[in-house]
Each structure stands twice: as C-alpha cells, then as structure tokens.
C-alpha cells in the first residue's frame, strides 16, 4: 500500500517570496511522483513528474521539485511566487515499473492551498 | 485548451432525482476515471475504465454507476440523488502507453443535492 502526506494544508506567502510545499510518501516499491495544480473552479493539471533519472525535476510556471529517496520526500519549490500562483497543489504517487500500467494505482495527497498575498 | 469536457459544470437538484454527469475526451485515451473531491480532502477514485465495455469500481464506495460504450464517452449516473452525494466530481483520462499514469482532467462537475 502507498500513501501521500502533504504536511501543510494552507501556505500563505507574500508575492515574490520563495515557497516550498512539502510532500512525503510511503511505498514499498519504486515510485513515480507527480505534482498537480488546481486553479479555482478548474480541474487539475500536471505541474511536473518524476519517473527516473535526475532527482531535480523542472515543471511549468517556474516550479521545480526534488526527489529524495532516503527521506521519501518530493517537495515542490518556486524561488519567487506570483499572485497567479494562488491555487491548490496536489502531490501524487503511483507504483513505478510494471505496476504503472494505470492510474488505478495513483494515490493523491489531501492538497495544499497556496495563497499569494500582495 | 481542454481536451476533456464535463457537463454540467454546476448542478443543484432535489433529493430523489436521477442525474447523469457527462464526460467526453477527444484525445483517444483508452483509460478514463471518475474522482470525487471534497474540500480539504484527497481525491478519491470511484470508477475507472480500461476501455470500451470495461468498468470497475474504485477505492471509494459510490452508489453511482458508469458506462463506457464509446472510447470518448464515460458518463456517471446517480439513480436517486441524496444530500450525501453533494460533492465535486472530476473526470480524467490517460493513455495506456504512457507507462506513467499522467492524467488529463476535466474542469469538474459540482453537484449539490438539496
């Protein structure tokens, strides 16, 4: 069984400040990791994903995340946020390799609401 | 550009009514999913489909039913809506060949049952 913990349910931050949204996971197998973003009244869209290779993953809108296997973490960062980054952010994990055939195995965290203040 | 469409976006109905939430995708994805999303909670998978005429229930028990008669269409039906069904329902799809479960989501259908 796998699980995802997003440690902060709400993160307020001032515009142009850096931000880190934390995500820890537990899994007994190799994993694929994802961050999705949900803007108000919209569905989720993929920000970035880690499948293999470099542990530092760059995504859209200036976001990046680092896979840390020893700490089982996949924290999301941005060096300078904008008002338009205000949204809910979801971390997700699925089993990698042969078990990755479907999002049937995808587990989402409970989300972190990022609010960027002027 | 949204390639997966959900209608209606918002629906307010009375208890006991039958409702169908529509979901269509134009990407030719073989896999489709329905998630239930409540405020402050993780997304819960309630139905998924690997292809035409293939549907299975997800991790969260739901009184809704689904059908997959065409690749592009995956409607969700509630025969008799109750206030406990009030929630946001998200439809998603993915391509089986991607190997990495990247989902494309619709904008959601927010259902309120009075």
């Amino acid at each position: 069984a796998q699980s995802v913990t997003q440690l902060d349910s709400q993160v307020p931050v001032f515009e142009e400040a850096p931000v880190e949204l934390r995500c820890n996971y537990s899994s007994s197998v190799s994993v694929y990791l994802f961050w999705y973003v949900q803007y108000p009244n919209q569905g989720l869209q993929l920000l970035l994903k880690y499948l293999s290779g470099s542990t530092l993953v760059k995504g859209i809108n200036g976001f990046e995340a680092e896979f840390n296997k020893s700490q089982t973490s996949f924290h999301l960062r941005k060096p300078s946020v904008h008002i338009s980054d205000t949204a809910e952010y979801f971390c997700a994990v699925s089993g990698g390799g042969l078990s990755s055939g479907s999002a049937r195995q995808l587990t989402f965290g409970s989300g972190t609401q990022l609010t960027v203040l002027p | 550009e949204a390639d997966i469409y959900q209608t209606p976006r918002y629906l307010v109905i009375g208890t006991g009514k039958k409702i169908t939430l529509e979901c269509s995708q134009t990407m030719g994805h073989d896999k489709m999913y329905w998630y239930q999303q409540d405020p402050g909670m993780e997304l819960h998978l309630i139905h998924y489909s690997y292809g035409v005429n293939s549907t299975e229930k997800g991790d969260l028990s739901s009184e809704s039913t689904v059908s997959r008669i065409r690749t592009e269409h995956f409607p969700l039906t509630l025969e008799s809506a109750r206030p406990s069904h009030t929630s946001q329902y998200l439809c998603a799809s993915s391509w089986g060949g991607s190997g990495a479960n990247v989902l494309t989501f619709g904008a959601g259908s927010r259902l309120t049952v009075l």
Side-chain angles (χ1 to χ4, degrees), chain B residues 11-19 80-83 111-114:
Chain B
L11 180 63
V12 181
I13 60 168
T15 297
K17 300 292 186 183
K18 177 180 178 179
I19 64 111
S80 180
R82 295 205 300 270
L111 173 65
T112 301
V113 184
L114 304 176

Side-chain angles (χ1 to χ4, degrees), chain A residues 48-70:
Chain A
L48 49 79
K49 61 182 185 287
Y50 170 79
L51 306 182
S52 64
S54 173
T55 57
L56 183 63
V57 180
K58 294 189 183 298
I60 61 172
N61 301 339
F63 282 93
E64 63 181 31
E66 185 155 19
F67 171 54
N68 188 318
K69 188 175 181 179
S70 62

Side-chain angles (χ1 to χ4, degrees), chain B residues 2-5 8 11 25 27 35-37 45 57 63 65-66 68 74 80-81 87 95 97 101 106-107 109:
Chain B
D3 295 309
I4 183 165
Y5 305 93
L11 180 63
Q25 50 99 1
M27 298 167 286
Y35 287 88
Q36 187 170 334
Q37 182 184 27
L45 182 67
K57 289 190 177 293
E63 293 166 348
T65 59
V66 292
R68 188 90 183 275
F74 191 43
S80 180
S87 187
W95 175 53
N101 313 327
S109 292

Side-chain angles (χ1 to χ4, degrees), chain A residues 32 34 36 38 41-46 49 51 88 90 94-95 99-106 108-110, chain B residues 9-10 31 33 35 37 40-43 45 48 50 57-59 88 90 94 96 99-103 105-107:
Chain A
Y32 294 150
F34 308 83
Y36 284 85
Q38 184 178 31
N41 300 315
Q42 295 185 28
L44 282 70
Q45 67 181 81
L46 183 70
K49 61 182 185 287
L51 306 182
E88 183 121 26
F90 290 91
S94 75
S99 64
S100 67
S102 165
R104 173 67 180 85
Q105 290 81 28
L106 192 64
F108 285 88
S110 56
Chain B
R9 290 291 315 278
Y10 304 93
K31 296 179 173 62
Y33 314 85
Y35 287 88
Q37 182 184 27
M41 305 289 288
E42 59 265 41
L43 277 71
L45 182 67
Y48 63 104
Y50 285 121
K57 289 190 177 293
D59 300 319
Q88 166 138 279
L90 293 172
S94 68
N101 313 327
V102 177
L103 299 178
F105 281 87

Side-chain angles (χ1 to χ4, degrees), chain A residues 1-2 5-6 8 10 16 22 27-28 31 35 38 44 48 53-55 74 87 89-90 102-103 108-109 112-113 117:
Chain A
Q2 59 198 23
T5 302
Q6 292 185 241
D8 305 296
Q10 298 199 35
E16 298 183 7
R22 296 180 293 169
S27 175
S28 59
V31 294
W35 276 99
Q38 184 178 31
L44 282 70
L48 49 79
S54 173
T55 57
F74 191 55
Y89 292 79
F90 290 91
S102 165
F108 285 88
T112 297
Q113 174 64 45
L117 306 167

Side-chain angles (χ1 to χ4, degrees), chain B residues 30-114:
Chain B
D30 54 346
K31 296 179 173 62
M32 295 189 75
Y33 314 85
W34 277 103
Y35 287 88
Q36 187 170 334
Q37 182 184 27
D38 294 307
M41 305 289 288
E42 59 265 41
L43 277 71
H44 288 291
L45 182 67
I46 53 174
H47 297 284
Y48 63 104
S49 168
Y50 285 121
V52 172
N53 294 325
S54 160
T55 62
E56 295 189 33
K57 289 190 177 293
D59 300 319
L60 183 67
S61 175
S62 174
E63 293 166 348
S64 59
T65 59
V66 292
S67 62
R68 188 90 183 275
I69 298 172
R70 303 197 314 266
T71 298
E72 63 271 21
H73 196 213
F74 191 43
L76 180 147
T77 299
L78 275 167
E79 290 293 332
S80 180
R82 295 205 300 270
S84 60
H85 296 138
T86 294
S87 187
Q88 166 138 279
Y89 294 85
L90 293 172
C91 182
S93 68
S94 68
W95 175 53
S98 70
N101 313 327
V102 177
L103 299 178
T104 301
F105 281 87
S109 292
R110 187 170 295 280
L111 173 65
T112 301
V113 184
L114 304 176

